Amino acid sequence: MDSTWTFTRLVIITGSFGSGKSEYAINLALERAQTNCIANMTLVDLDLVNAYFRVREVRQLLEDRQVQTIVPREDVLHSDLPIPGPGIAALIKNLEMNVIIDVGGDDMGATALRGYRDCILGVDHDILLVVNPYRPFTHTIEDIHTMKEEIEYRSGLKINGVVSNPNSGISTNIDSLLAKHELVNRAAELMALPMVEILVYRDLFREHQKLFSDFPCRVRPIDIFLTPGWLLKQQKEDGKKQ
Amino acid sequence: MSEVILMKGNEAIGEAAIRANCRHFFGYPITPQTEVLEYLARRLPEEGGAYVQAESEISAINMVFGASCAGARVMTASSSPGISLMQEGISYIASAQLPAVIINIMRGAPGLGGIHPSQADYFQSVKGGGHGDYKLIVLAPSSVQELIDHTMLAFELSEKYRTPVMVFGDGMLGQMMEPVVFPDYLPPPVDRPWATTGMEGRGPNIVHTLYLPAPDLENHCHRLFDKYRDIEAREKRSQEYFTDDAEILVVSYGIASRVARAGVEMAREAGIKAGLFRPITLWPFPDLQLQAAAKQARLLISAEISMGQMIEDVRLGIRDKVPVKLFNRIGLVPNPDEIFEFIKAEAGEVSKIG
């Protein structure tokens, strides 16, 4: 398995509703801007189909940490209208900029990519599929494959890598994480796509650092930004009781 | 036990309806509830059911009315403004004594308001909403798992009492994801000898809401209210945290009750005798349980995402024996720190009175 995946300057993140695209996009942007010191890091919120838990909610935090954001104009920021932020096409073409695009869920969300298809095809790019096999419509290998084809059909673009997010929430345990990751692995093999990385909550990553230090693919410890801290704490405590 | 899946609240409601053997859904999209429709539009045909997108919420509720008359197990879902449009139909369904489940994923209001989480439809659903003398059973889940459990319970109660049941959520509960497990649940068979299913060798079944002679209407209303008294006697539900010695008792439902729980835990850590009383049925309101939970209370705090609606039932429930204050926010789910600070300030006041 390819554990040395290198990202191009344009990373487009797709997947089913609730697959973890936005959290992944935020984590990836922060790491690339701060740890890898990549300049001109810009995160585009292209989620036009969901009205809650979007990148735009943490735009200040991102900008404080050297990640520029492209979100809809302030006067329509909280509207329930499918309005993309300004200047996305120019940003895609501008080779000085490093760009991550967080796309809305399912094929419906991926429709928003169609308008930028020609610009995207003109430059080096990655189109990644985030897969959470705990989600109802990416529960089986077959469903994951269908999701990929639907997203490709609507966007007119080809996915070139899989990101495995085998988490059932903040209280995921290591055994179910590994078992579900195996399912994503098999789906990736079937689709003949490389496994880019696996996402693991930072606490779980710390607990099992040894196991993850020798893992067949890259492992990305994930911090959660879009769920309030108090709710995560409660979910964790309730998860322990079960 | 079936396996864990990660679901949005709205999706969980849709799947719960399917597991409860509901095969008929009529609705109209509105944020932040639309995923209920999207999920059922996808899943119901797989189960041999019917999803119909009506041309408006008024149509949707009347389709629910018709389907229930004809003996179908049926559900609709909407959000605040859409639920307002449904009120006439809900009154008809209640009067005709028909089972039906109505989901309200509440959003910011009044008027067009916004798409934020809200709990400001309490008066509308708990106190009436439509015209005439009727009651709605109103359930208030506080997690994605409970959205499943309460949707299933809503079908049971609506058929047991032949009455419409409302399940309350809010934008956050509908949109957030939590791991859930669907219980091994065998829904009761649809048994409706009164339904208009075609005469087939029996006399006609007539479902109607028109009572022109005054005594008939009076008798009808008395029959309805005998049933409502029965529901009040049997179906009050609530949950309590740290209430045994609570001097400050927070009363809160739905998503706000989870914030309140966290705020109360912070107060306990700070040595304040705080507790939480959480109504699960908003009608019937668990007043006797509240009185028992408030035995040691010197102050009650009604914590809601509205300008203060449930607070009236809290005051009635406690018979005005203990002062009741309002903690509220609008357009957002508050932070536990805010409730904790409020409790702390009030604890200071309470101790001054001695």
Side-chain angles (χ1 to χ4, degrees):
Chain A
M1 195 55 68
D2 182 8
S3 61
T4 54
W5 179 277
T6 45
F7 294 101
T8 60
R9 60 160 278 273
L10 173 62
V11 182
I12 298 168
I13 298 169
T14 71
S16 76
F17 276 118
S19 56
K21 293 177 300 301
S22 300
E23 295 285 9
Y24 175 55
I26 295 166
N27 276 269
L28 184 64
L30 287 173
E31 192 217 15
R32 280 167 69 71
Q34 298 199 294
T35 316
N36 303 352
C37 297
I38 290 174
N40 300 332
M41 195 67 230
T42 305
L43 177 49
V44 179
D45 178 347
L46 193 61
D47 187 344
L48 307 189
V49 288
N50 196 0
Y52 278 72
F53 302 111
R54 293 182 290 193
V55 164
R56 64 195 67 176
E57 292 166 28
V58 292
R59 63 193 186 285
Q60 194 55 54
L61 178 147
L62 288 164
E63 289 181 10
D64 291 346
R65 301 189 196 176
Q66 289 77 51
V67 175
Q68 300 305 305
T69 56
I70 299 289
V71 303
R73 270 189 354 228
E74 194 65 36
D75 57 344
V76 290
L77 189 67
H78 300 289
S79 75
D80 192 13
L81 300 166
I83 300 170
I88 297 174
L91 192 66
I92 290 169
K93 289 183 205 158
N94 185 346
L95 302 180
E96 305 285 298
M97 303 300 287
N98 282 287
V99 183
I100 295 174
I101 302 182
D102 179 34
V103 183
D106 287 4
D107 50 336
M108 258 193 291
T111 305
L113 279 177
R114 187 92 200 188
Y116 305 106
R117 180 174 178 269
D118 291 344
C119 315
I120 293 167
L121 289 176
V123 298
D124 283 344
H125 61 271
D126 290 305
I127 303 184
L128 307 182
L129 181 74
V130 181
V131 178
N132 185 329
Y134 278 103
R135 295 283 295 140
F137 298 121
T138 47
H139 209 55
T140 64
I141 293 177
E142 218 174 28
D143 286 348
I144 295 167
H145 192 221
T146 306
M147 180 65 66
K148 170 196 173 264
E149 294 200 322
E150 286 172 351
I151 290 173
E152 289 183 337
Y153 177 73
R154 287 289 189 98
S155 63
L157 295 161
K158 284 279 174 202
I159 288 165
N160 70 326
V162 172
V163 175
S164 173
N165 183 20
N167 291 287
S168 64
I170 193 74
S171 46
T172 311
N173 67 54
I174 188 74
D175 294 337
S176 43
L177 179 103
L178 296 176
K180 288 286 183 186
H181 175 62
E182 212 21 63
L183 187 132
V184 184
N185 248 333
R186 294 212 307 278
E189 273 170 33
L190 184 86
M191 299 184 289
L193 289 173
M195 175 63 64
V196 177
E197 49 189 344
I198 177 176
L199 313 182
V200 182
Y201 287 116
R202 192 172 292 281
D203 286 352
L204 196 68
F205 177 80
R206 281 204 193 104
E207 267 173 59
H208 300 275
Q209 212 144 14
K210 209 168 158 202
L211 186 152
F212 289 122
S213 67
D214 185 28
F215 207 68
C217 70
R218 184 159 60 197
V219 182
R220 179 178 297 276
I222 286 281
D223 298 307
I224 300 298
F225 293 92
L226 296 174
T227 301
W230 68 266
L231 187 57
L232 285 174
K233 185 169 166 258
Q234 211 166 67
Q235 287 170 345
K236 198 158 193 174
E237 285 163 6
D238 292 349
K240 270 183 204 150
K241 279 179 220 152
Q242 280 165 10
Chain B
M1 234 21 179
S2 41
E3 63 176 317
V4 173
I5 36 178
L6 185 61
M7 282 191 126
K8 267 192 179 195
N10 287 337
E11 298 166 343
I13 292 165
E15 186 61 31
I18 286 170
R19 304 282 176 116
N21 224 355
C22 167
R23 292 292 176 271
H24 298 82
F25 180 92
F26 307 93
Y28 187 83
I30 179 172
T31 305
Q33 160 284 154
T34 301
E35 294 83 2
V36 180
L37 278 68
E38 285 172 351
Y39 190 89
L40 285 169
R42 187 165 181 164
R43 284 279 289 119
L44 269 175
E46 292 175 6
E47 302 291 334
Y51 162 88
V52 177
Q53 186 165 316
E55 63 268 52
S56 74
E57 290 86 347
I58 298 175
S59 304
I61 196 70
N62 282 291
M63 290 174 184
V64 168
F65 183 22
S68 192
C69 288
R73 186 168 285 163
V74 58
M75 182 171 99
T76 186
S78 190
S79 177
S80 309
I83 296 289
S84 291
L85 282 171
M86 291 184 181
Q87 292 304 323
E88 184 200 28
I90 293 172
S91 168
Y92 279 62
I93 292 167
S95 178
Q97 304 204 63
L98 294 170
V101 173
I102 304 151
I103 310 287
N104 183 2
I105 302 298
M106 292 181 276
R107 60 182 256 174
L112 207 43
I115 56 174
H116 336 89
S118 168
Q119 297 186 318
D121 297 351
Y122 185 98
F123 282 156
Q124 184 186 54
S125 291
V126 177
K127 302 293 176 186
H131 56 287
D133 287 308
Y134 76 92
K135 297 277 188 189
L136 262 184
I137 297 177
V138 183
L139 302 175
S142 70
S143 65
V144 179
Q145 182 66 53
E146 282 189 350
L147 281 173
I148 293 170
D149 301 340
H150 289 186
T151 299
M152 290 172 168
L153 175 64
F155 281 106
E156 276 183 30
L157 293 175
S158 82
E159 297 194 15
K160 181 175 176 188
Y161 295 105
R162 286 181 59 182
T163 198
V165 177
M166 174 82 77
V167 180
F168 262 3
D170 65 275
M172 183 162 173
L173 209 47
Q175 296 289 329
M176 71 190 209
M177 291 199 300
E178 291 191 310
V180 293
V181 174
F182 282 88
D184 294 325
Y185 176 70
L186 206 62
V190 179
D191 178 24
R192 299 180 180 179
W194 45 264
T196 54
T197 52
M199 284 170 60
E200 292 161 22
R202 59 160 169 75
N205 279 346
I206 299 170
V207 181
H208 72 106
T209 65
L210 182 67
Y211 295 90
L212 284 178
D216 290 4
L217 184 62
E218 191 172 40
N219 286 337
H220 174 59
C221 287
H222 278 298
R223 271 197 305 274
L224 284 179
F225 274 71
D226 287 345
K227 176 169 81 178
Y228 296 149
R229 270 187 290 277
D230 192 26
I231 295 171
E232 281 179 320
R234 293 159 184 259
E235 304 297 348
K236 290 173 182 171
R237 288 170 164 79
S238 62
Q239 204 176 20
E240 297 173 22
Y241 298 90
F242 312 112
T243 51
D244 285 349
D245 61 344
E247 292 181 354
I248 294 185
L249 184 64
V250 181
V251 185
S252 191
Y253 72 93
I255 190 74
S257 71
R258 289 182 71 169
V259 186
R261 194 181 112 196
V264 163
E265 281 167 3
M266 290 166 79
R268 282 279 163 178
E269 276 162 29
I272 300 167
K273 287 184 178 169
L276 170 66
F277 180 81
R278 176 197 159 207
I280 292 174
T281 50
L282 301 181
W283 189 83
F285 191 82
D287 52 353
L288 302 176
Q289 291 93 325
L290 175 65
Q291 287 164 22
K295 269 202 298 279
Q296 307 293 324
R298 298 161 73 185
L299 176 74
L300 265 56
I301 297 168
S302 187
E304 332 174 26
I305 309 173
S306 78
M307 290 307 290
Q309 301 193 9
M310 180 183 67
I311 192 169
E312 294 192 1
D313 280 336
V314 176
R315 287 198 174 112
L316 276 172
I318 203 70
R319 307 284 187 266
D320 267 334
K321 284 176 190 154
V322 182
V324 185
K325 289 201 173 174
L326 176 68
F327 171 87
N328 69 334
R329 290 301 307 268
I330 301 293
L332 53 92
V333 175
N335 200 296
D337 297 337
E338 297 172 62
I339 294 197
F340 168 58
E341 290 301 329
F342 191 88
I343 294 171
K344 204 164 75 177
E346 292 301 332
E349 293 299 313
V350 166
S351 65
K352 270 185 229 159
I353 302 162

